[in-house]
Amino acid sequence: MFETETAFYNAHKQEFRAKYLNKRIVIQNETLKGVYDTDTEAYAEATRTMRPGTFAIKVVTSTDADEIAHFTSRVYA
């Protein structure tokens, strides 16, 4: 899922970092559809013209390491 959008982002990552650092970008297929300040704004605007599941929202980060999400759990067995 979102292989095309991810490939497009990776191919243009340096350009996006130079122009849109810390912004949320909406990508559909191989097209940049919009640039927003928040996740909420990006999703709300994207769903005005596109169905959910047909676009990706990416946060433009300064490094590849910043793109990795880490989750922890306090579940004890």
Side-chain angles (χ1 to χ4, degrees), residues 9-10 13 17 58-69:
Y9 175 79
N10 288 334
K13 190 181 297 188
R17 284 178 175 161
K58 290 282 291 176
V59 178
V60 181
T61 61
S62 60
T63 67
D64 290 344
D66 290 339
E67 293 180 13
I68 300 170

Side-chain angles (χ1 to χ4, degrees), residues 10-60:
N10 288 334
H12 296 88
K13 190 181 297 188
Q14 295 307 318
E15 173 189 346
F16 293 154
R17 284 178 175 161
K19 292 181 181 179
Y20 311 122
L21 188 61
N22 297 319
K23 300 286 186 179
R24 280 71 176 157
I25 60 174
V26 176
I27 301 170
Q28 187 179 46
N29 297 317
E30 294 182 344
T31 304
L32 177 64
K33 293 290 194 169
V35 181
Y36 305 95
D37 291 323
T38 67
D39 294 330
T40 303
E41 182 184 15
Y43 185 79
E45 290 299 319
T47 56
R48 285 181 183 210
T49 59
M50 298 174 278
R51 285 190 349 248
T54 65
F55 59 88
I57 298 173
K58 290 282 291 176
V59 178
V60 181

